[in-house]
Structure formats: structure tokens, C-alpha cells
Amino acid sequence: VAAPPAGTTFQWSQVSGPGTATFADDESLTSTVSFDLGGTYVLRLEVVHAGRSYADEVTITVVPVPDFVLWIGGYPVADTDPLGDSDGDGLDNLLEFATVSDPASGASHEIPTLAGDPAGSPDMLFSYRRLRALDPAHASGGTGDGYSLYGINYTVEVSEDLANWDPATSILAMQEEGTASDNGDGSETVTLRLVPPTGNDVQWFVRLRVGME
């Protein structure tokens, strides 16, 4: 792209939007811009050269990434602490955020499930909900093994006695079954196949551990 002629000036401004658009340098043609709320914004660029003014507008749709503080602030709950449980359903606010549940409703709780293999093998199928990435590049780590997204970490753990827990991958073979299913509410459901060690008759307990980074 050719450089603009000498003496050309630029001015960015916000025409409309639900929040505030902040320009790093509103007099730079290539300025970056940030938004404090999601939604649709209209931005205007005015160019002045040789005494003549030109202007154009651009429409930008901002989709905010999930954020615990903003999320919990949108519910009428008395206790907004990550470990709070205002609805008394046994699931703390952080877990409800991580599984896209409603912290204000005791009837809304998305609990992981564990089932045997329909094919009759000793394998276990563990399913749970998690936040869905707006962009795959936003996520890191392996599914069920330190998977991290938007400041939330998901780890599947196993125990023989409900007292001592270890990452499932340190004891069992684990693989994702198919692809994650989009639930259409900002979450997705993943299913993991857990394969016990050969010849091991231990009864395994499985849980999902969620942490905030």
C-alpha cells in the first residue's frame, strides 16, 4: 500500500456502539482500537488533504471472550466469590461458569457423567461441558489434561479411594471420543475414553477439576 501524500491528516472517531471504542492513536491511519463491551460499533475515519476532507465508516462486531467477573455480575446472586454457591446446588460459581450453568438457579447444574463402554470393554466414558473457544487458538493444553481457555483450566482426575486424586493421564490411557459437540450456549460437551491398565481390577472414581488461572 502506497504511503499517504505528505500533509495528509487522519482522525478516527466512534459514531455508535454499546460501549466505548478507545483508539491507541486516533490520528494514525493504522491505529489499533479496543472495546469495553461486546456489540456492533460504527467507526468513522476522516481524511484531510490539500484542504479537502474525505470520510468513510466501518462497522465492527465485537464478540467478548467469557470473563468470570463480568459473567457473575450479570446474575442476581448474593455471593459473587468464585467459591460461592448462592443457589445451594453444591456447585460453586467457578464451576458453574466453567460449565456454562446458571449460578442463580439450583435447577441449573451441569454435572459430568461417567458411563461404561456400550461395547462391553472395561473402558469408561467421561463426559463434561466446558466453555467453547471463539477461536481454537485461544485454547491450550490437551483435552482433559490441563486444557486451558479464557483463564479456566480443566483437568480430569482419578482416584481409587476418593481421598487421593491424580491426573487421569498419569494412570490411565485417555483419548477424546469424536469431536466436541457445540451446545449452542457458549459451551461444548466433550467425551473422553478412559482405558484402565490391563489386568487392573481397581474400581476407579473420576472427577473434573476446574481452576482459575
Side-chain angles (χ1 to χ4, degrees):
V1 178
T8 302
T9 63
F10 305 94
Q11 183 65 58
W12 284 101
S13 61
Q14 178 181 344
V15 177
S16 63
T20 300
T22 302
F23 299 92
D25 181 354
D26 60 7
E27 295 183 349
S28 169
L29 175 63
T30 57
S31 174
T32 58
V33 60
S34 60
F35 305 88
D36 63 347
L37 293 175
T40 300
Y41 294 77
V42 176
L43 307 181
R44 178 182 178 87
L45 175 62
E46 183 176 2
V47 181
V48 177
H49 175 68
R52 302 187 65 177
S53 178
Y54 310 86
D56 200 1
E57 296 180 350
V58 60
T59 299
I60 298 176
T61 299
V62 177
V63 180
V65 300
D67 175 85
F68 175 80
V69 174
L70 294 177
W71 171 82
I72 195 66
Y75 289 93
V77 296
D79 188 351
T80 60
D81 187 85
L83 298 182
D85 181 19
S86 292
D87 59 6
D89 63 0
L91 303 182
D92 60 46
N93 293 329
L94 180 60
L95 186 56
E96 300 227 39
F97 170 69
T99 57
V100 190
S101 187
D102 184 346
S105 171
S108 173
H109 47 271
E110 301 296 339
I111 301 175
T113 62
L114 182 66
D117 182 5
S121 78
D123 299 355
M124 300 172 286
L125 301 179
F126 185 67
S127 300
Y128 64 92
R129 283 164 55 105
R130 68 184 183 193
L131 292 168
R132 184 171 178 82
L134 300 174
D135 184 325
H138 294 167
S140 63
T143 294
D145 183 23
Y147 180 87
S148 295
L149 179 68
Y150 306 135
I152 302 299
N153 181 275
Y154 302 79
T155 300
V156 175
E157 297 182 332
V158 296
S159 173
E160 298 180 24
D161 55 14
L162 292 177
N164 301 291
W165 293 87
D166 296 290
T169 52
S170 68
I171 299 176
L172 313 178
M174 183 171 66
Q175 64 184 38
E176 188 169 354
E177 286 282 285
T179 58
S181 174
D182 185 353
N183 297 315
D185 60 357
S187 75
E188 62 186 10
T189 297
V190 294
T191 298
L192 300 175
R193 177 177 290 272
L194 305 176
V195 184
T198 302
N200 189 312
D201 294 329
V202 171
Q203 178 174 329
W204 295 101
F205 300 92
V206 186
R207 74 178 183 184
L208 175 67
R209 180 170 62 82
V210 170
M212 181 179 287
E213 299 175 338

